[in-house]
Amino acid sequence: MSEGIKMDVRRRAAGVAEIDLSALRRNLQQVKKRIGRREILAVIKANAYGHGAVPIAQFLVGEKRSMEISLLGVAYLEEAIQLRKAGITHPILLMTGCPIEQIPEIVRYQLTPLLFDAASLAALSRYAARRGERVNVHVKLDTGMGRIGLPVSEALPFIQTAMEQKGIRVEGILTHFAEADLKDLSFAKKQFEALKQIWTALQKAKMKVRYCHLANSAAIMHFGAAHFNLVRPGLMLYGYSPLEEETEIPLKPILQLRARVIAVKKVPAGTSISYGRTFFTRRESLIATVSIGYADGYPRLLSNRGVMIAKGQRAPVVGRVCMDMTMLDVTEAPSLSVGDWVTVIGEEGGEAVWADELARQAETIPYEILCGIGERVPRIYKER
Ligand SMILES: *Cc1c(COP(=O)(O)O)cnc(C)c1O
């Protein structure tokens, strides 16, 4: 990154996210270590879980790179078009389906939709065949998630019909786990068995389909039997574990988020802080106002609960988190001054606050913390 951009970001007052691409590479190596010769679909939906879909895709599958990623996964057409317009030519799986009104763009941008209903299948094959095109599709089965997909009982006839269409190439079949993050994998095993049964039947019938997949990060990490021939890591690429239990797998969060000190003031005991006056200082205190709020994705539930790092000291959030600003008790960090940075997510001076800790305090999951980081926060990318 150029010095010019760095200067520009430094001059800004809002929060700044710094993304370590070398850590992303190491997390990807942890995926590879577990899957042998199976292939990888890197999940970069929701702006790559808040990390910036285009730069992350460029790092993973850009012209000069070879990270051995077979496909990219996004949720919606708009996300895929953004990648195509940025010059990403890699296969992209549209993981929410194939809306009929989007078929012209799906074909034009050479995207790979999920299929799970007869109407989309008919419309897509007609549209593609008329243009002499053949569109890769993956057939989605619902084996227990209850979200999207065909019932298992309808899978084989549907796949058979799809394979007979001129404009269609069935490249994959897949399903999605509902609770592969739990220590108790009994429901996950049922889902795995259901997919395996269809996969085995396809092979017996000599119906050639290239990919069979269902492993998300959780299954990659602790359900090796479910890897089939393609895995779909999301969260673990960004450095967090979805697992209920502790893991030995060394993942490293790739994003650190900092905010700027806008004001510091010494106030007497009994001073109320922020909207609703939910906090009163109990002693003479040093209070810092920092440049991040719920509009930037810092959850309002962290009011009087969250913690940031100021000058290497953990500093509690005091009073309610505001839209653009948050107050901290920095009495233990007396040298903090206006213009300094505090760490919202990340490590500083031997202390660390990561998105999983914030998530627990805010009664959510690290996924939601990461993909909630707002548009106002510039992302800067480093490769060490
Ligand atoms: C989001 C998503 C994933 C990735 O899940 P992680 O838990 O982040 O690894 C995989 N597959 C599908 C269909 C998804 O929607």
Side-chain angles (χ1 to χ4, degrees):
M1 189 192 45
S2 79
E3 201 59 30
I5 296 169
K6 217 185 271 174
M7 280 297 295
D8 180 50
V9 167
R10 291 264 155 108
R11 266 194 232 115
R12 296 175 75 139
V16 172
E18 188 183 303
I19 291 148
D20 177 358
L21 295 169
S22 308
L24 173 59
R25 184 193 293 107
R26 288 195 295 276
N27 294 334
L28 179 60
Q29 277 158 0
Q30 290 300 324
V31 175
K32 290 182 183 165
K33 216 172 141 179
R34 270 150 199 91
I35 62 168
R37 301 182 48 184
R38 296 169 180 97
E39 296 180 46
I40 298 173
L41 178 154
V43 179
I44 58 167
K45 63 191 177 190
N47 200 27
Y49 293 40
H51 296 73
V54 167
I56 297 291
Q58 281 164 342
F59 182 74
L60 291 174
V61 303
E63 295 280 288
K64 298 180 293 275
R65 304 270 179 189
S66 181
M67 301 275 184
E68 297 163 343
I69 302 290
S70 299
L71 296 101
L72 297 169
V74 300
Y76 293 108
L77 176 69
E78 294 76 3
E79 298 179 294
I81 293 177
Q82 186 197 20
L83 295 170
R84 287 284 183 259
K85 288 194 166 155
I88 303 290
T89 56
H90 235 65
I92 299 176
L93 190 66
L94 277 179
M95 303 197 299
T96 55
C98 183
I100 289 172
E101 69 279 10
Q102 295 179 350
I103 286 174
E105 277 101 344
I106 289 172
V107 175
R108 170 145 55 100
Y109 288 103
Q110 302 193 359
L111 307 175
T112 307
L114 297 194
L115 276 188
F116 48 84
D117 70 275
S120 291
L121 169 58
L124 180 63
S125 58
R126 206 176 325 114
Y127 186 92
R130 228 189 291 138
R131 279 158 188 77
E133 305 259 4
R134 206 147 175 221
V135 179
N136 282 335
V137 304
H138 289 211
V139 174
K140 177 82 182 244
L141 312 181
D142 183 359
T143 58
M145 175 65 184
R147 189 168 67 179
I148 53 173
L150 288 162
V152 175
S153 59
E154 295 170 22
L156 283 172
F158 185 90
I159 296 166
Q160 173 102 51
T161 309
M163 289 175 91
E164 287 162 0
Q165 309 302 311
K166 258 203 195 126
I168 302 276
R169 181 185 298 107
V170 179
E171 188 195 43
I173 62 167
L174 72 151
T175 188
H176 192 54
F177 281 123
E179 53 173 33
D181 52 320
L182 300 189
K183 209 168 173 174
D184 174 3
L185 285 174
S186 46
F187 192 71
K189 282 180 181 149
K190 288 204 178 99
Q191 292 192 265
F192 158 72
E193 289 297 341
L195 182 64
K196 192 174 147 193
Q197 183 203 325
I198 302 299
W199 183 233
T200 310
L202 289 180
Q203 286 166 328
K204 274 215 185 103
K206 303 227 175 331
M207 290 160 71
K208 274 221 168 73
V209 174
R210 180 160 172 201
Y211 294 121
C212 177
H213 51 113
L214 86 162
N216 53 7
S217 296
I220 291 166
M221 292 171 72
H222 75 166
F223 191 2
H227 291 174
F228 289 99
N229 58 12
L230 178 74
V231 298
R232 307 193 302 261
L235 191 68
M236 87 181 273
L237 296 178
Y238 309 106
Y240 291 90
S241 164
L243 300 185
E244 179 187 45
E245 76 264 19
E246 288 292 312
T247 173
E248 309 266 89
I249 300 173
L251 298 173
K252 171 86 183 160
I254 74 169
L255 177 145
Q256 302 199 56
L257 177 61
R258 301 194 210 277
R260 200 147 209 206
V261 178
I262 295 171
V264 184
K265 56 186 176 289
K266 191 177 275 182
V267 299
T271 305
S272 65
I273 304 291
S274 198
Y275 289 120
R277 306 178 70 219
T278 60
F279 180 85
F280 287 82
T281 53
R282 254 166 267 130
R283 52 175 180 180
E284 183 180 80
S285 305
L286 205 55
I287 303 294
T289 303
V290 301
S291 66
I292 194 156
Y294 59 78
D296 305 297
Y298 196 72
R300 192 165 170 276
L301 260 180
L302 293 176
S303 301
N304 293 308
R305 284 192 194 181
V307 64
M308 298 186 196
I309 309 171
K311 295 275 173 197
Q313 304 291 325
R314 288 172 78 89
V317 170
V318 290
R320 287 200 184 138
V321 172
C322 308
M323 186 185 290
D324 319 296
M325 291 176 269
T326 298
M327 274 65 84
L328 304 175
D329 182 341
V330 293
T331 311
E332 309 306 324
S335 65
L336 190 74
S337 44
V338 170
D340 285 346
W341 294 90
V342 297
T343 298
V344 182
I345 296 174
E347 50 195 357
E348 187 194 317
E351 291 287 349
V353 175
W354 295 113
D356 43 3
E357 180 184 344
L358 288 191
R360 274 191 302 278
Q361 290 164 341
E363 298 170 35
T364 181
I365 49 177
Y367 299 81
E368 193 181 25
I369 298 289
L370 295 172
C371 65
I373 296 172
E375 281 185 24
R376 200 158 57 179
V377 176
R379 276 76 166 162
I380 58 178
Y381 298 87
K382 298 209 166 141
E383 199 176 345
R384 283 174 230 283

